[in-house]
Amino acid sequence: MSPIPSFSYDLLYQERVIRSVANNTRQDGIDFLRIAVEIPIRTQVQVFSLSEANRALNALKNDAISGAAVLRIGE
Amino acid sequence: MKACLLHTTSAIETNPLEFGEVVTPQPKSGEVLVRVRACGVCRTDLHVIEGELPLRKSPVIPGHQVVGIVEGQGENTRRFAIGDRVGIAWLHRTDGTCEYCKTNAENLCDNPVFTGYSVDGGYAEYIVAPEDFIYTIPAEFPGRCGSPGSKRVDASAFMVSEQRRTLRFRWPGTGMWMCLLPLVMFAIKNWHWSWARCGPEGRMMNLRRSWTPRSSSRRPEKSFRRR
């Protein structure tokens, strides 16, 4: 894994917290989906077909995806 | 069914997934068969493909951010009906018997099985998964379950996981939703919500690009700067 790059401290000032977690429990997922509905969450995706998976992976690796790369599969 | 297969680990540029036909999986007891509508492309997929995670199954179908429609059920299933829209995440199943599982910390299970890594994932037309580890996608998300219009919703669901990576340091926490939860709760309770395209959100997007760990040794050349 690559090191964590540095960033401006003012992004963490005022008691903001960044924490890591290990995977998630099922209850975590259920809770989050409920909250996601309430917020609601707006998403930004870049869609690829299944056959374009390699192109999507290369784009992700090279930071050429704005938002999330998603494979759309089937009709 | 059509699927993308990973045979060996190496850099994605020289080690593309094989796109081809494989046998459609059949659900075993307690499992459901899901027709995949969308699958997020996660950086953990790159970790798997490029060998930063040791290969556990070969060939394996990557992908662990799956939204699809229940199309079949094995024996002893009860939770879902045919046609339900569901989500399948990184944690495919746990042993349910270790101390972590017994203490509501199954995310730390001693013997976890991971989607798209230990078992076949969502870069395919179909996937099977234990119904106990499958999520119901809330009906409140736009689009109707099973309708063509819901594809957009399916795709949108995965932005969640990518947004999560904005502030994710840890590896390999690749469950698709949970890393975001503390961030969401924190933002709501304390100050502005910042997922708009400008202002703080723009900085966060910038942050993601600087912080997102590469699967290879390459690193971003520029350091993070505020807009």
Side-chain angles (χ1 to χ4, degrees), chain B residues 188-202:
Chain B
I188 291 173
K189 289 180 177 177
N190 292 274
W191 27 279
H192 52 262
W193 178 248
S194 56
W195 284 358
R197 284 290 297 171
C198 57
E201 190 269 353

Side-chain angles (χ1 to χ4, degrees), chain B residues 37-138:
Chain B
R37 303 291 300 276
C39 186
V41 179
C42 179
R43 206 163 281 266
T44 298
D45 299 337
L46 279 173
H47 294 318
V48 173
I49 292 165
E50 302 197 331
E52 291 180 279
L53 292 170
L55 203 58
R56 290 191 179 183
K57 177 182 184 296
S58 179
V60 66
I61 300 171
H64 59 270
Q65 299 177 350
V66 182
V67 169
I69 306 298
V70 173
E71 277 212 352
Q73 296 166 305
E75 296 178 354
N76 303 312
T77 53
R78 68 194 187 287
R79 284 189 62 203
F80 299 103
I82 303 298
D84 283 355
R85 187 175 59 171
V86 297
I88 301 171
W90 171 248
L91 196 60
H92 186 82
R93 65 174 182 267
T94 58
D95 62 20
T97 59
C98 69
E99 288 304 311
Y100 291 114
C101 287
K102 290 177 178 176
T103 54
N104 299 319
E106 64 184 4
N107 54 315
L108 304 175
C109 174
D110 285 336
N111 301 290
V113 175
F114 297 118
T115 309
Y117 180 46
S118 324
V119 295
D120 286 335
Y123 287 18
E125 292 181 305
Y126 290 91
I127 184 174
V128 293
E131 67 165 9
D132 288 344
F133 283 82
I134 291 176
Y135 299 85
T136 297
I137 302 297

Side-chain angles (χ1 to χ4, degrees), chain A residues 1-8 10-11 15-26 28-33 35-37 39 41-45 47 50-51 53-54 56-58 60-63 65-75, chain B residues 4 12-13 16-17 36-43 47 49-50 90-91 106-108 122-124 132-133 135 138 140 151 155-156 159-160 162 167 169-171 173 175 177-181 184 186 191 197 208-211 213-214 216 218 224 226:
Chain A
M1 297 295 138
S2 57
I4 300 170
S6 63
F7 59 93
S8 175
D10 63 1
L11 289 170
E15 301 190 9
R16 299 173 194 175
V17 176
I18 297 176
R19 61 173 294 184
S20 67
V21 300
N23 310 309
N24 62 271
T25 67
R26 282 169 283 179
D28 289 336
I30 292 167
D31 291 345
F32 173 73
L33 285 170
I35 292 171
V37 170
I39 292 173
I41 284 181
R42 292 188 296 272
T43 61
Q44 180 177 340
V45 299
V47 178
L50 180 60
S51 61
N54 290 309
L57 287 159
N58 275 283
L60 178 63
K61 182 173 180 177
N62 292 288
D63 288 341
I65 301 291
S66 180
V70 174
L71 304 181
R72 178 180 293 174
I73 301 169
E75 295 302 320
Chain B
C4 295
I12 184 65
E13 296 89 340
L17 302 176
V36 180
R37 303 291 300 276
C39 186
V41 179
C42 179
R43 206 163 281 266
H47 294 318
I49 292 165
E50 302 197 331
W90 171 248
L91 196 60
E106 64 184 4
N107 54 315
L108 304 175
Y123 287 18
D132 288 344
F133 283 82
Y135 299 85
E140 288 84 351
K151 283 193 294 189
S156 296
M159 184 55 193
V160 170
E162 193 66 13
L167 294 178
F169 283 129
R170 204 181 138 278
W171 168 92
W177 295 301
M178 221 2 35
C179 290
L180 189 57
L181 180 58
V184 169
F186 177 76
W191 27 279
R197 284 290 297 171
R208 178 183 71 79
R209 290 172 183 166
S210 290
W211 285 3
R214 291 180 176 277
S216 68
R218 296 174 53 192
F224 173 73
R226 287 190 64 173

